[in-house]
Amino acid sequence: MERVAERENRDPEFVRQQVADGQAVIPANHAHESLDPMIIGREFSTKVNANIGNSEETSSIQGELQKLHTAVHYGADTVMDLSTGSNLDEIREANITHSPVPVGTVPIYEAVKRAESPDEITHELLLDVIEKQAKQGVDYMTIHAGVLMEHLPLTDGRKTGIVSRGGSILAQWMEENGMQNPLYTKFEEICDIFAEHDVTFSLGDGLRPGCLADACDDAQFAELKTLGELTRTAWDHGVQVMVEGPGHVPMDKVADNVEGQQAVCDGAPFYVLGPLVTDVAPGYDHITSAIGAAEAGRSGAAMLCYVTPKEHLGLPEKEDVREGLAAYRIAAHAADVANDLPGARDWDDALSEARYEFDWRRQFDLALDPERARSYHDQTLPGDNYKEARFCSMCGVEFCSMRIDQDARDADGEMSEIESETDLTVSAAAEANLPPVGTHDTSRVPDEIEINGVTFTPEHDHDHGHADD
């Protein structure tokens, strides 16, 4: 809690009270030794999760570690290992060992792999998988306990049915076995496992809408009502809870969804996927969803789950992770500025001052993605002399508006000179709203890990760390 207070620039007692009241969570499994703790709650800076993981078709342990470190470098506050392919235990172990940010999982995926068919999953198998992952050090798990048998007929009129992997698996299980959702019937036993290892619930939205036409329907809200009940059950067992949300939602309904969840779930942190505000842009869904994410954050969502350009099309790779995180860090920061979080706009002011002063190097350093900003500038004006130039290639020398404005102010006219300097070293902003992004304490992250006799050394050149690492 003290580390979280330091990162959020808040009083430790305020952090403690928010967690005690269930309004914020600190996902921190006792066994995750490399963790640099963080907090998720609407009173704190808006957080961003990056989904990583393999599939049967692609990816290796080394590839997953590269995606992990790309995510951390570009500002992911948490990562979710959604692997469904081979080497699930080894990939999870590697991610936990090397991740300074909380690691989440969806244990139903491993249960399906072990049972070989969704309808063959047993209650005992589910609890065994959940307990094993908790012992490994997983900080939070998506548990789709809110999908009930009586909710399934409510999905019959949808255009896209059940689009959650976990939701569809459990729906098939209930149809085949004629029994209630095993995650629901065993929920209190799961609470006991989570309490022992300090695992946080991420109550899954298994009936989230998969298109605009299905948004805000009876199935979505029936599940949400159950999630509110499960939130209170988990709190009774001393377990932290956040609640997952949609999905695909028209932009004018995003705020209603956030406010509705906050009411039904008594203020438990809301963790939203997007939401995507249009269905027409495959290949650009990091943009369609970032629009909804910014609105969700402005309305009180505590964490945004990024969407990459590959959404609906394929498994994200390193560059897709970078693009998705850039879009979502922008959305999260925009929400914090709109919500007037202490010091959040200082970063914007500092970069604007550097831009007006033609301080190109400082502008690059302050950019959300410094490498991208420098690369784009240098594509047309690569020489060092252009780092002192009072123009870029967009307007050129003659038509640069800021140069024209400066010259007018320097002349004997009625416009006075602009004098302003934002000192980010004394900003009240949380770390998430200050450059550089991806600043995590990596002092407890090992340089390499051995799995099944093979030594893996992930890319570390992207880590910022702290001066005292």
Side-chain angles (χ1 to χ4, degrees):
M1 292 181 189
E2 290 177 348
R3 171 60 178 151
V4 164
E6 176 188 359
R7 297 183 70 178
E8 295 290 326
N9 215 346
R10 296 294 186 93
D11 185 82
E13 172 57 25
F14 179 71
V15 171
R16 188 203 66 78
Q17 192 62 55
Q18 284 284 298
V19 174
D21 293 342
Q23 307 302 288
V25 297
I26 301 176
N29 189 312
H30 303 313
H32 189 171
E33 297 179 356
S34 60
L35 181 69
D36 184 14
M38 51 79 72
I39 194 166
I40 302 166
R42 65 185 178 279
E43 295 296 327
F44 303 94
S45 58
T46 306
K47 302 306 188 300
V48 175
N49 170 70
N51 288 340
I52 58 176
N54 74 351
S55 69
E56 285 291 1
E57 282 69 34
T58 183
S59 197
S60 61
I61 296 177
Q62 187 67 46
E64 289 308 307
L65 286 176
Q66 289 175 348
K67 280 191 276 186
L68 166 67
H69 283 268
T70 299
V72 171
H73 172 57
Y74 288 109
D77 297 294
T78 78
V79 295
M80 289 202 77
D81 177 5
L82 304 186
S83 295
T84 57
S86 304
N87 303 315
L88 296 185
D89 277 329
E90 291 83 358
I91 288 174
R92 190 181 311 115
E93 178 185 347
N95 282 331
I96 293 169
T97 300
H98 284 285
S99 179
V101 304
V103 174
T105 61
V106 186
I108 191 72
Y109 298 167
E110 182 181 351
V112 171
K113 294 285 292 185
R114 287 174 55 174
E116 297 185 351
S117 173
D119 56 288
E120 296 296 325
I121 296 172
T122 65
H123 295 71
E124 293 73 23
L125 174 61
L126 272 174
L127 292 175
D128 180 60
V129 168
I130 290 169
E131 185 169 25
K132 181 191 68 175
Q133 293 192 7
K135 288 179 178 178
Q136 281 184 296
V138 172
D139 301 291
Y140 67 97
M141 297 186 201
T142 293
I143 302 294
H144 298 90
V147 183
L148 304 185
M149 290 185 71
E150 52 267 37
H151 298 161
L152 301 185
L154 300 176
T155 67
D156 289 345
R158 285 182 159 186
K159 284 189 180 296
T160 54
I162 299 174
V163 299
S164 159
R165 288 192 294 198
S168 64
I169 290 166
L170 288 162
Q172 180 180 342
W173 189 94
M174 288 185 277
E175 288 287 326
E176 294 287 340
N177 290 282
M179 292 190 290
Q180 187 58 277
N181 182 347
L183 293 174
Y184 179 80
T185 58
K186 293 293 183 179
F187 190 75
E188 292 196 73
E189 292 179 50
I190 299 171
C191 286
D192 292 338
I193 295 171
F194 279 23
E196 179 181 355
H197 299 278
D198 203 356
V199 178
T200 297
F201 272 110
S202 188
L203 293 178
D205 52 342
L207 299 181
R208 66 176 179 268
C211 63
L212 299 190
D214 296 341
C216 308
D217 67 355
D218 290 343
Q220 176 189 338
F221 290 138
E223 181 186 25
L224 178 61
K225 183 174 183 290
T226 305
L227 296 182
E229 297 167 358
L230 294 172
T231 295
R232 291 180 281 276
T233 299
W235 284 346
D236 289 342
H237 285 75
V239 180
Q240 300 182 98
V241 182
M242 56 184 170
V243 178
E244 297 182 16
H248 293 239
V249 178
M251 190 157 59
D252 62 309
K253 299 296 184 183
V254 172
D256 291 345
N257 272 258
V258 177
E259 292 162 6
Q261 180 274 344
Q262 293 289 273
V264 172
C265 299
D266 296 335
F270 202 20
Y271 167 30
V272 296
L273 176 68
L276 286 74
V277 296
T278 180
D279 301 332
V280 301
Y284 298 93
D285 280 335
H286 60 310
I287 299 173
T288 63
S289 62
I291 294 169
E295 177 66 6
R298 188 192 66 83
S299 303
M303 186 160 76
L304 314 174
C305 183
Y306 86 162
V307 173
T308 77
K310 283 277 190 71
E311 186 77 8
H312 303 112
L313 302 172
L315 187 72
E317 300 299 336
K318 281 178 58 179
E319 191 60 25
D320 305 308
V321 170
R322 177 181 185 176
E323 296 288 340
L325 275 165
Y328 271 71
R329 283 258 59 101
I330 293 167
H333 180 68
D336 289 345
V337 171
N339 289 331
D340 200 24
L341 261 65
R345 210 193 69 191
D346 290 347
W347 185 3
D348 302 78
D349 292 347
L351 193 143
S352 296
E353 291 159 10
R355 178 176 291 149
Y356 185 77
E357 295 164 2
F358 296 103
D359 189 341
W360 294 104
R361 291 182 177 85
R362 178 160 172 75
Q363 187 179 160
F364 300 152
D365 290 342
L366 291 175
L368 182 83
D369 185 341
E371 298 101 321
R372 176 67 57 84
R374 184 178 293 104
S375 171
Y376 279 4
H377 173 272
D378 290 356
Q379 283 177 11
T380 50
L381 299 173
D384 284 345
N385 56 309
Y386 290 115
K387 303 300 191 296
E388 314 297 332
R390 297 175 66 205
F391 65 93
C392 71
S393 62
M394 184 172 190
C395 297
V397 180
E398 186 176 355
F399 288 97
C400 178
S401 58
M402 289 189 179
R403 181 198 59 76
I404 294 169
D405 183 73
Q406 286 181 5
D407 290 346
R409 292 178 186 278
D410 289 341
D412 293 331
E414 295 184 0
M415 294 191 298
S416 62
E417 292 186 19
I418 296 175
E419 293 183 8
S420 59
E421 183 174 352
T422 302
D423 185 357
L424 294 181
T425 64
V426 296
S427 173
E431 282 186 9
N433 283 312
L434 293 172
V437 301
T439 303
H440 306 282
D441 183 350
T442 59
S443 59
R444 291 179 297 279
V445 177
D447 291 330
E448 58 185 25
I449 181 176
E450 183 176 308
I451 299 176
N452 295 334
V454 179
T455 299
F456 294 93
T457 305
E459 298 176 343
H460 283 284
D461 45 311
H462 286 327
D463 293 340
H464 297 294
H466 286 292
D468 58 351
D469 284 0

